[in-house]
């Protein structure tokens, strides 16, 4: 079982599955934005791991950083979970294919 530590509390690392991606969308984060909305993604992921609401998760992360922690530790665990997720890999591959097809259409239209 993979875990992450925030403010000296250990949390079970959440899996990247269909429900996680729905939670991200509910938080206003699309698959394409995962690499650009770093702080929001970390908070949304920590919410899934901790069961905390948005405000409480944000406060916990803020205190973690104030007390010398980094969010890179969370990102490392999150990236490992993404890498090991069959669902996330399939979703990412599909998104890349769709983007590539859109670029081909745009080029042909010119």
């Amino acid at each position: 079982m993979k875990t992450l530590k925030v403010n000296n509390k250990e949390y079970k690392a959440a899996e990247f599955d269909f429900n996680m991606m729905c939670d991200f969308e509910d938080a206003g984060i699309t698959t394409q934005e995962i690499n650009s909305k770093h702080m929001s993604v970390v908070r949304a992921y920590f919410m899934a791991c901790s069961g905390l609401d948005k405000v409480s998760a944000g406060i916990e992360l803020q205190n973690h950083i104030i007390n010398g922690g980094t969010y890179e530790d969370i990102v490392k665990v999150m990236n490992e979970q993404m890498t090991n997720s069959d669902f996330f890999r399939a979703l990412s591959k599909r998104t890349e294919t769709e983007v590539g097809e859109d670029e081909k259409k745009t080029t042909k239209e010119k």
Side-chain angles (χ1 to χ4, degrees):
M1 176 178 80
K2 191 76 178 163
T3 62
L4 59 108
K5 204 174 212 181
V6 175
N7 284 332
N8 294 317
K9 295 178 199 166
E10 209 160 297
Y11 299 92
K12 182 181 180 224
E15 290 185 39
F16 270 82
D17 57 11
F18 185 82
N19 287 321
M20 170 74 71
M21 296 313 299
C22 290
D23 290 343
F24 275 24
E25 284 184 0
D26 289 345
I29 305 163
T30 65
T31 306
Q32 294 85 358
E33 295 173 319
I34 286 179
N35 291 324
S36 63
K37 291 187 170 184
H38 301 285
M39 301 286 254
S40 296
V41 169
V42 169
R43 182 178 64 182
Y45 184 71
F46 181 61
M47 287 169 56
C49 297
S50 66
L52 296 172
D53 62 54
K54 182 168 59 173
V55 173
S56 299
I59 291 169
E60 193 71 16
L61 289 168
Q62 176 177 294
N63 289 334
H64 176 70
I65 292 167
I66 289 170
N67 292 324
T70 67
Y71 72 86
E72 283 83 8
D73 296 334
I74 300 165
V75 170
K76 181 181 175 188
V77 171
M78 188 174 69
N79 286 337
E80 288 174 14
Q81 294 298 92
M82 276 192 256
T83 300
N84 295 327
S85 167
D86 293 335
F87 174 75
F88 188 76
R89 283 195 310 258
L91 185 63
S92 296
K93 189 173 187 173
R94 181 175 176 187
T95 301
E96 289 171 8
T97 302
E98 290 170 357
V99 168
E101 289 173 2
D102 287 344
E103 287 175 1
K104 286 179 188 176
K105 289 178 189 175
T106 304
T107 303
K108 286 181 182 179
E109 292 171 359
K110 291 181 181 178

